[in-house]
């Protein structure tokens, strides 16, 4: 089924063989002419968020692993990942003289690669590959359940990564003149002075959240040795332990948006509503199904977080919704 691993350890192109046979040709080799050399391992890179129960994601895919140590089979290249199909975006295949070598090549490629900006399971794969049980080959079908929190918890970008990005943006101040096309980026560094304190800060947007970054020449620092980055003009993509973080200059946009309430049922992903089980004004109980959302060939039921009344309903069957769209608002019993 997973022909790439077989191809890697036999040196044959099984897809080519299938086409030749379908054209009426004989198989290029007999069984006794084939041999197996070394180990091969494949990981499926999915557009999904392990920290949110492996819910499918959709969005832009600009970067995939580009590493000579592994093989990358993918049909995507600078594309949008839609919510309508299976969420797998690539197969990553590594091979080596031993299982340990193959595991190491695959893990190293994930650790060094910028993947995204769409959320994927890359960090989950890396954590699994680095886990002592996996390295020892002692895993079984309960491996993920036993270590679910360790394998899926989300992490914010560390201060070293933020400072590294800050150095990049401030470095632009010296590399480009304002007359160049990219000068618009430099003008945003208001207040920059050549004689400013060594721990001076600039405001950055890190995965959409405001942070302060220190520009103090972290380039080449040992603390950033395991940070792998890609610079894209207005954005720095930072791979920290397999997860790619997006860093840009912070731009205030006002604060007119209200916060979600405990009873707000938001769409966890882009998708299509295929069933609505309640109507405005209905009384519901905790855990009762409210509606069903379909995305990437999977169905997801959204339920009431507590006993209450449907105070607002913005869901209709067949509607396409985006992530974080307010679908239902439940008011607790006694408040309605």
């Amino acid at each position: 089924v997973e022909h790439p691993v077989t191809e890697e350890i036999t040196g044959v192109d099984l897809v080519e063989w299938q086409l030749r046979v379908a054209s009426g040709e004989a198989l290029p080799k007999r069984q006794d002419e084939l041999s197996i050399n070394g180990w091969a391992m494949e990981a499926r890179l999915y557009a999904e968020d392990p920290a949110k129960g492996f819910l499918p994601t959709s969005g832009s895919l600009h970067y995939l692993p580009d590493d000579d140590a592994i093989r990358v089979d993918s049909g995507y290249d600078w594309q949008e990942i839609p919510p309508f199909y299976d969420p797998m975006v690539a197969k990553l295949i590594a091979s080596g003289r031993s299982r340990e070598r193959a595991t190491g090549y695959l893990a190293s490629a994930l650790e060094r690669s910028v993947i995204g900006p769409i959320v994927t399971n890359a960090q989950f794969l890396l954590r699994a590959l680095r886990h002592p049980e996996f390295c020892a080959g002692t895993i079984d079908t309960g491996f993920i359940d036993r270590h679910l929190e360790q394998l899926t918890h989300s992490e914010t970008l560390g201060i070293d990564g933020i400072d590294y990005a800050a150095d990049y943006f401030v470095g632009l101040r010296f590399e480009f003149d304002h007359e160049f096309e990219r000068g618009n980026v430099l003008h945003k560094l208001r207040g920059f002075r050549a004689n400013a304190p060594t721990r001076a800060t600039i405001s950055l947007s890190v995965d959409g959240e405001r942070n302060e970054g220190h520009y103090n020449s972290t380039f080449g620092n040992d603390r950033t040795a395991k940070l792998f980055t890609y610079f894209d003009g207005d954005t720095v993509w930072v791979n920290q332990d397999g997860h790619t973080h997006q860093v840009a200059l912070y731009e205030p946009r006002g604060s007119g948006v209200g916060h979600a309430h405990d009873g707000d049922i938001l769409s966890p992903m882009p998708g299509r509503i295929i069933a609505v089980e309640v109507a405005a004004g209905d009384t519901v109980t905790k855990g009762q199904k409210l509606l069903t959302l379909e995305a990437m060939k999977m169905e997801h039921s959204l339920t009431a977080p507590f006993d209450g009344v449907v105070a607002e309903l913005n869901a209709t069957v067949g509607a396409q919704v985006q992530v974080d769209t307010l679908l239902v608002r439940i008011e607790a019993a006694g408040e309605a």
Side-chain angles (χ1 to χ4, degrees), residues 37-54:
N37 299 293
W39 286 71
M41 183 175 298
E42 175 188 298
R44 291 186 168 204
L45 184 68
Y46 273 77
E48 63 184 12
D49 190 346
K52 295 182 178 179
F54 296 93

Side-chain angles (χ1 to χ4, degrees), residues 79-197:
Q79 296 184 20
E80 290 289 320
I81 307 299
F84 311 116
Y85 310 109
D86 186 282
M88 186 175 71
V89 297
K91 293 180 180 181
L92 314 179
I93 308 100
S95 58
R97 292 196 301 268
S98 65
R99 182 181 185 277
E100 182 180 11
R101 286 285 185 89
T103 303
Y105 290 146
L106 189 53
S108 181
L110 285 167
E111 188 176 50
R112 295 195 304 265
S113 298
V114 169
I115 303 173
I118 191 174
V119 176
T120 70
N121 64 337
Q123 186 172 62
F124 166 81
L125 296 174
L126 178 60
R127 287 171 175 169
L129 290 165
R130 295 294 195 201
H131 195 280
E133 285 185 26
F134 189 93
C135 292
T138 58
I139 61 172
D140 53 38
T141 55
F143 169 72
I144 294 176
D145 285 339
R146 287 196 302 273
H147 306 289
L148 188 62
E149 171 61 23
Q150 181 182 354
L151 296 174
T152 63
H153 75 276
S154 60
E155 291 181 351
T156 57
L157 181 61
I159 188 62
D160 290 342
I162 296 174
D163 287 354
Y164 192 96
D167 268 353
Y168 168 74
F169 286 114
V170 174
L172 288 176
R173 178 64 175 81
F174 299 102
E175 294 180 32
F176 300 97
D177 191 271
H178 289 285
E179 67 183 11
F180 281 82
E181 181 179 354
R182 291 172 67 183
N184 64 325
V185 178
L186 313 182
H187 284 299
K188 296 174 185 176
L189 298 176
R190 298 182 179 89
F192 176 82
R193 301 194 312 275
N195 61 349

Side-chain angles (χ1 to χ4, degrees), residues 257-279:
V257 180
H259 296 286
H261 301 285
D262 291 341
D264 288 354
I265 309 300
L266 308 180
S267 175
M269 74 203 84
R272 183 172 67 94
I273 298 172
I274 61 173
V276 178
E277 310 290 343
V278 295

